Amino acid sequence: MSSTTREEIVKVADDLFYRKGFDHTSFADIAGLVKISRGNFYHHFKTKDDILEAVIEKRLADRGAMLTRWEIEGRTPADRINSFIDILIVNGDKIKLYGCPIGTLTSELAKLNHPAQPDAGRLFTLFRMWLRRQFVALGREDDADILAMHLLSRSQGAATLFNAFQDQDFVEREVAQMKEWLKHIETERLESSL
């Protein structure tokens, strides 16, 4: 039961940190939703920073599992990269309301000058390294990291503007343009190998 309670606390905190922000979420908010006493809560986590650390680890594990699933399901590197691009549509309702869960947490922790900000940045690094591997597999060894960072920054920008303007047509156009860009990258590779 103890590990289940801890997992529930982390799950609830993850959701609240996303919807309300880390700074605006209190122990009482989390304990109230988990329906445990403050004493029982402190048995699992002594500080909010301890919870934040567990939330970051959960997000890393969840995103890692998602990337592994894309590796299995995607026949080609382009298929796998398209899964990354599609996340803007798949998670569109949440992004529209709260922004990107990774981008919002990283930005908030940077504003707070929080010592966990580099740990939250590991979430972006996870995507960067994964995208880099996909571009290498696509035959773009020389500029794989540049392409990975370009796509990562473009998707973050689209998520931020989708949240700001609440414009579904905008995000769908951005997704379509990113996919066209990826086709162009594939075509360049094929033409250079002829």
Side-chain angles (χ1 to χ4, degrees), residues 28-191:
D29 294 332
I30 300 166
L33 288 174
V34 178
K35 297 182 178 31
I36 59 172
S37 68
R38 287 183 73 91
N40 193 13
F41 191 97
Y42 287 115
H43 170 73
H44 296 283
F45 294 99
K46 304 292 186 230
T47 67
K48 198 162 92 167
D49 286 352
D50 292 339
I51 300 168
L52 175 61
E53 182 182 329
V55 165
I56 291 170
E57 291 306 318
K58 177 189 183 317
R59 289 186 183 187
L60 281 165
D62 291 349
R63 279 20 173 231
M66 178 180 69
L67 295 175
T68 299
R69 189 178 73 245
W70 291 348
E71 288 279 347
I72 293 166
E73 293 172 357
R75 291 185 346 257
T76 67
D79 289 342
R80 296 188 287 271
I81 295 167
N82 276 315
S83 293
F84 172 82
I85 295 169
D86 284 336
I87 204 82
L88 288 165
I89 302 296
V90 172
N91 290 339
D93 291 341
K94 289 180 183 177
I95 292 169
K96 186 176 180 180
L97 292 173
Y98 310 113
C100 168
I102 297 168
T104 55
L105 180 65
T106 304
S107 294
E108 180 183 11
L109 295 179
K111 287 179 203 169
L112 296 171
N113 198 26
H114 195 283
Q117 194 276 333
D119 292 330
R122 288 173 33 216
L123 291 156
F124 279 131
T125 301
L126 179 72
F127 281 112
R128 179 183 185 176
M129 297 297 115
W130 184 86
L131 285 167
R132 180 191 296 173
R133 284 194 308 274
Q134 304 315 311
F135 283 113
V136 166
L138 200 58
R140 297 296 296 251
E141 296 87 0
D142 293 344
D143 59 353
D145 191 58
I146 292 168
L147 296 171
M149 287 295 284
H150 173 77
L151 186 55
L152 190 56
S153 67
R154 181 140 187 202
S155 68
Q156 277 301 297
T160 299
L161 293 176
F162 185 32
N163 176 250
F165 294 113
Q166 307 281 302
D167 185 342
Q168 185 69 35
D169 291 338
F170 160 76
V171 82
E172 288 175 8
R173 280 192 311 274
E174 285 298 303
V175 164
Q177 288 173 7
M178 283 184 258
K179 289 185 174 195
E180 281 302 313
W181 171 80
L182 180 58
K183 284 181 188 173
H184 177 73
I185 296 295
E186 282 187 285
T187 304
E188 280 183 345
R189 178 188 60 87
L190 292 171
E191 288 173 355

